[in-house]
Amino acid sequence: MMRHFLDLSDAGGDAVAAMINDAQDRKGARADWPKGQPDSDAPLAGHVLGMIFEKNSTRTRVSFDIAMRQLGGSALILDSGTSQLGRGESIADTARVLSRMVDAIMIRTDDHEKALEMARHASVPVINGLTDRSHPCQIVADLLTVIEHGKELPGLELAWLGDGNNVLHSVLEAAALMKFNVRIGTPKGYEPEVEFVEMARAAGSIVTLTNDAEEAIAGADVVVTDTWVSMGQDHAREKLAAMAPFQVSQRLMSGAKPDAKFLHCLPAHVGDEVTEEVFEGPQSVVFDEAENRIHAQKSVLLWCFDKI
Ligand code: CP
Ligand code: NVA
């Protein structure tokens, strides 16, 4: 069966654990090599990844490109402004054409249904590089980062503060697969989709939903936030005002465990969802997290090609 990676549960918990192990091994093996130099086994030599961007990106775009180079392959980009997708060519036709030309497709888009449609019509693996619903590639990097910083996933207490968005949905999916607990602090009306909360709870994770930031962060091993305004959303004044008490500040961080780490998928809006003191402070691991996008994306690609 074709291995699409549209959400973490397409792979399952064992595969996600294997991806993290492989990412750690490959990262360790190449240490300070030049970033474009292929890994010694070049497992995807000759393979090409086609990347479709209907939204902006820095990390996803660069990390997948460098990931393919390090695996011995290459990547190319189609953005909606300059490809026929932007003039209305269907996802189905695009999927069938690209499947004849590249070995895998990564798509960043708005409506998750478009990624599903791409997968239905592609005869090569399709990877979700972020939709309005989820961001699974990010979370593989986040889990790798948490483990690298000495935490174990089962039983981990992860606090999420701010908007109940696409990244949180993938966190909840990861909680279900990797058996950790999520303490979610959002303003009223900005909670995550119920289906993701139920998925995590059904798998045995303890998911706390609160409108009290201090309650959410209490005793956390890891504190995570994200932008209050995701791509495609309005900068609604009332939303920003409602989010203000959920800004990750040093005062709030003092309610987490003393060795808690701070994560943010980036781009960050320092002064909004996080203070400069926390973002630049000793508990922040956001640039390790950003680097880990490369190592994590390599694992995702290798899983898609049945090499993990
Ligand atoms: N975190 C993340 O996906 O970053 P980009 O939007 O820059 O790809
Ligand atoms: N929630 C953010 C994540 C960006 C990587 C967005 O969708 O814009």
Side-chain angles (χ1 to χ4, degrees), residues 56-61 108 130 135 138 231 265-267 293:
N56 293 47
S57 171
T58 297
R59 279 144 290 270
T60 303
R61 170 179 176 155
R108 167 169 286 198
L130 180 146
H135 195 6
Q138 178 69 50
M231 289 182 277
C265 66
L266 308 181
R293 290 296 302 277

Side-chain angles (χ1 to χ4, degrees), residues 129-151:
L130 180 146
T131 65
D132 290 348
R133 175 187 155 93
S134 58
H135 195 6
C137 293
Q138 178 69 50
I139 302 310
V140 182
D142 290 8
L143 299 180
L144 170 61
T145 308
V146 165
I147 289 171
E148 273 183 352
H149 282 277
K151 317 270 183 207

Side-chain angles (χ1 to χ4, degrees), residues 32 38 42 72 84 124 171 205 241:
D32 293 327
Q84 298 292 6
V124 298
V171 166
S205 301

Side-chain angles (χ1 to χ4, degrees), residues 10-28:
D10 290 337
D14 290 346
V16 170
M19 287 184 208
I20 295 167
N21 282 337
D22 193 74
Q24 282 186 293
D25 290 348
R26 286 186 179 276
K27 183 176 179 180

